[in-house]
Amino acid sequence: MFLICRLIDIVTGRATSLAELAQIALAHGGGSIVNEASRSFYPAKFQGDPRPAKEYLGWIPKISLENAVGQLVSKFKEEYYENTENNSWLSAAL
């Protein structure tokens, strides 16, 4: 007997660069970006296919990428920022 597994990405299908994702996160959490030279093996954008999630799980994205990242940043800050003595949520996570 063989079992065939399929990787299913839970994604919106929107192509996004790391810089764009960082800008979205910063809009919700503050801070700054340190730019480094791009490396040849870095993809210009990341994009997943949401169709398998719909087909196999009945899942479709209900919130925007911006909203999802905002919720993630808020939860991250809640978990780390509020529980640190120096109130630096980023340094607490590192």
Side-chain angles (χ1 to χ4, degrees), residues 25-77:
L26 289 175
H28 292 280
S32 61
I33 296 175
V34 175
N35 288 315
E36 294 187 11
S38 181
R39 298 185 178 143
S40 62
F41 54 86
Y42 285 174
K45 298 213 178 229
F46 297 88
Q47 180 177 14
D49 183 358
R51 292 178 296 185
K54 182 177 183 183
E55 180 181 343
Y56 295 108
L57 305 174
W59 182 88
I60 58 171
K62 295 182 180 176
I63 62 174
S64 68
L65 177 66
E66 289 80 5
N67 191 317
V69 171
Q71 289 180 29
L72 178 66
V73 169
S74 292
K75 185 65 176 172
F76 187 81
K77 286 172 67 175

